[in-house]
Amino acid sequence: MSGGKRLAVVGAGAVGGSVVELAREYGHTVTAFADSSSAVVDADGIDADSALARKESEGRVGSADPEAALDAEYDVLVEATPTTLGDAEPGFSHVRGALERDRHVVLANKGPVAERYADLTALERESAGEVRFEATVGGAIPVLSTVEDLSPGHVTAARGVLNGTANFILSRMAAEGLGYEHVLAEAQDLGVAEADPAFDVEGTDAALKCVILANVLAEGDREYTLADADVEGIQNVPGSALELAAEDGQTIRLIGECTPEAVRVSPRLVPQNAALAVTGTRNIVQLETEHAGQLNISGRGAGGPETASAVLADVGRLD
C-alpha cells in the first residue's frame, strides 16, 4: 500500500461526495473538491463535512471557481463527473489536464474509458501519471483488478449482470408476476430507477461497462466504443415471458458479454439457480479464463460509498 495522497475530486454527486467523505479513513487528504459551478481548495486539506453540508444546503461545495480545483496541488485527480457520450466531455479534458501535469487519474466517470480509450491511453503514455478506472465497471466489485491480476491475455471472455436498475425490475417482475411499467414506477419511487431511466433500461449503462472491459481485454489490439456494441434493453420484456421462463426453471436477465469478437447486451434466459440469476440490484461478472477456470465476482454494482471504495482502492494502487 502506498502512502497518503493528495486528492482533487471533481464531481460532487453520490460517488464524488463519498470519496471526499471517506478519503481520510483511507489515509488520504482532499486538497480540492469541485462541482459544476464551484470549488473549495485548501493545500492542507479541505473541511469535508463543511463542503458536503454546503452542497446540501446551498447546492454548491464552495466559493471558488470550478477550475481552481483543477489548478490545485494534488497527486491524484478523481474524475467523478456524470458520464457523457460521444466526446466524453468535460471529463476527458479534466483527465488530459491532469496527465499533462504528470498527475495520476482515477476515474469513476465511464465516458473517457468507454468512448475515447485510444486517446486516453495515448495521453497516459506521454505522461508520468497513471490512469486507473476500477469504479467504472461494477461499482464495488473488483472486476478490473481481478483481470489485471490474471493478465488480460488469459481472460477469454467476460459476461454478467452489470446494471442494478434493470436487474431490480426483472427480478421484481419475475417474483411478483407484475408488468414492466408497474415495476418501473415502483423502482422510481424507491430511488432505484432515475426519473428518466433510459440509460439503464435501454442497456446503455451495461454496454458502456462491457465496452470498457472489452478495451481492457483487447490490450490495445483494437479500440471499442459504444458504436461497436450490439445493445437491446428490457423495455419490451413482457411479464408473460418471465412466467413462461419460470415454468421451465429459468428466468430472464439483462446480460452483457464481451468476447474477442463482439460486445453485446440483451435480455437472455438463464437458469433460476445459475450464478447469473442474481436478484435485486446486485451485479455479477463472470470471467472465463485459460488457466483459472470460470470466476464469478458479485456484489453491489452502484451506490456512493460502494463505488467510492473502488475509487479509493485504485488510489491505493498508485505509486
Side-chain angles (χ1 to χ4, degrees):
M1 177 68 76
S2 63
K5 299 279 195 294
R6 298 170 300 166
L7 312 182
V9 181
V10 182
V15 177
S18 293
V19 170
V20 168
E21 200 172 355
L22 298 173
R24 191 166 294 284
E25 199 178 308
Y26 285 74
H28 307 298
T29 304
V30 178
T31 53
F33 180 33
D35 57 22
S36 58
S37 62
S38 71
V40 55
V41 177
D42 188 331
D44 297 323
I46 67 163
D47 182 333
D49 294 340
S50 162
L52 293 167
R54 184 169 180 177
K55 179 68 177 173
E56 187 72 25
S57 62
E58 299 176 29
R60 51 197 288 122
V61 299
S63 52
D65 194 67
E67 273 67 46
L70 299 167
D71 294 335
E73 283 305 311
Y74 63 85
D75 303 308
V76 185
L77 177 74
V78 174
E79 220 303 336
T81 62
T83 296
T84 53
L85 303 183
D87 62 3
E89 293 293 359
F92 186 82
S93 288
H94 297 162
V95 174
R96 179 169 54 210
L99 290 173
E100 284 174 351
R101 288 178 66 187
D102 290 322
R103 301 294 190 268
H104 298 303
V105 176
V106 173
L107 284 149
N109 175 355
K110 291 181 277 292
V113 220
E115 294 290 83
R116 299 183 67 175
Y117 192 75
D119 292 343
L120 192 69
T121 51
L123 283 171
E124 185 184 29
R125 278 195 299 274
E126 297 296 313
S127 173
E130 187 181 337
V131 181
R132 299 198 68 93
F133 44 94
E134 179 67 79
T136 63
V137 181
I141 312 170
V143 180
L144 301 179
S145 54
T146 302
V147 169
E148 184 178 30
D149 288 348
L150 291 164
S151 176
H154 295 303
V155 178
T156 53
R159 75 182 66 84
V161 171
L162 283 162
N163 183 270
T165 301
N167 206 58
F168 176 88
I169 291 170
L170 290 174
S171 298
R172 288 287 292 160
M173 286 173 68
E176 306 297 329
L178 298 167
Y180 170 79
E181 295 294 344
H182 182 103
V183 177
L184 172 60
E186 178 185 80
Q188 286 168 324
D189 286 345
L190 290 168
V192 173
E194 301 283 347
D196 178 2
F199 204 60
D200 297 312
V201 299
E202 291 175 3
T204 308
D205 175 67
L208 288 170
K209 293 166 185 173
C210 287
V211 164
I212 292 167
L213 254 173
N215 278 319
V216 170
L217 294 179
E219 295 188 285
D221 288 343
R222 65 165 287 190
E223 180 188 18
Y224 291 88
T225 69
L226 198 53
D228 299 305
D230 182 11
V231 188
E232 181 189 343
I234 65 164
Q235 323 88 289
N236 301 319
V237 176
S240 56
L242 284 150
E243 286 168 28
L244 282 169
E247 286 171 21
D248 203 23
Q250 301 203 89
T251 190
I252 296 172
R253 290 290 179 266
L254 183 68
I255 304 292
E257 184 170 39
C258 53
T259 64
E261 291 76 43
V263 176
R264 60 190 182 123
V265 175
S266 62
R268 284 159 68 175
L269 283 167
V270 297
Q272 282 176 342
N273 59 357
L276 289 172
V278 288
T279 56
T281 58
R282 286 180 75 78
N283 281 196
I284 182 168
V285 174
Q286 210 168 60
L287 300 174
E288 299 290 347
T289 76
E290 283 180 352
H291 307 300
Q294 186 185 86
L295 300 179
N296 294 322
I297 323 168
S298 68
R300 295 183 178 178
E306 292 88 345
T307 308
S309 75
V311 168
L312 290 161
D314 265 350
V315 173
R317 291 181 185 106
L318 295 164
D319 291 331

